[in-house]
Structures are given as C-alpha cells and as structure tokens.
C-alpha cells in the first residue's frame, strides 16, 4: 500500500465559479487561499504569470469579482480542454 504525502499549505474547497482570463474563460474546480484549479479551452504554459477574475455569487444575485494574479504551476491537457492550477501572488476581494 502506497501513502502519498499532501504538500498543500492550504485546504482546497470544491467550487464552480466562472474564471475570466485575458484569453477567454474557465470554470473553477477548487479554490484555496493560496491558489485555484480550473478548466479552460485555452492552453496556458507552466510558469506563466497571469491575472484573472473569479466571479463568486454572494447572497442571491450579487456577484463578487475576486481579482487574482499568480503563476501557472500546472497545465494538463484533458479530454475537454485544459486543467490549470495557479499559485496566487495577489488576491483581492
């Protein structure tokens, strides 16, 4: 039996929010205080620094745009696009 050590510094929470990128949109899979994982149709290169907005719904119809900047730490091709993980350098509500 193999045990893998968890290296994440913050808990991840499943989310389904729209991600706005300069090159298109995506949909979050999970979010933490240190990063986000999302799917997109756009290929993004590891180590790329980028800015995005995560649209979070609060109390009914009010939408909060969470401004994020960070480095792409993973970009994997999947059947329906790309799975991208970003490590945040800036996170503003």
């Amino acid at each position: 039996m193999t045990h893998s050590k968890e290296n994440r510094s913050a808990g991840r929470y499943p989310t389904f929010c729209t991600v706005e990128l300069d090159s298109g949109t995506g949909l979050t899979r999970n979010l933490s205080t240190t990063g986000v994982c999302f799917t997109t149709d756009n290929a993004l290169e590891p180590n790329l620094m980028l800015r995005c907005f995560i649209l979070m719904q609060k109390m009914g119809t009010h939408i909060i745009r969470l401004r994020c900047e960070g480095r792409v730490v993973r970009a994997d091709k999947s059947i329906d696009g790309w799975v991208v993980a970003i490590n945040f350098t800036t996170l503003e509500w």
Side-chain angles (χ1 to χ4, degrees):
M1 185 153 114
T2 304
H3 295 280
S4 63
K5 183 181 176 190
E6 179 62 53
N7 291 323
R8 294 180 179 146
S9 60
R12 301 241 171 171
Y13 300 96
T15 58
F16 302 99
C17 301
T18 298
V19 178
E20 293 179 342
L21 305 161
D22 289 340
S23 60
T25 62
L27 182 65
T28 61
R29 284 188 169 185
N30 60 60
L31 179 66
S32 76
T33 57
T34 60
V36 64
C37 179
F38 63 93
T39 58
T40 183
D41 292 336
N42 304 311
L44 298 171
E45 294 293 322
N47 293 318
L48 174 71
M49 291 298 293
L50 63 83
R51 179 184 59 227
C52 65
F53 294 92
I54 300 173
L55 306 182
M56 302 180 80
Q57 190 167 355
K58 180 182 175 185
M59 302 291 183
T61 59
H62 183 71
I63 302 292
I64 295 173
R65 292 182 79 209
L66 179 61
R67 182 180 166 276
C68 313
E69 292 179 1
R71 181 178 306 279
V72 174
V73 293
R74 190 181 81 224
D76 299 322
K77 181 73 175 130
S78 70
I79 293 171
D80 53 350
W82 291 84
V83 177
V84 177
I86 296 174
N87 186 22
F88 296 139
T89 56
T90 303
L91 184 63
E92 297 176 351
W93 294 98

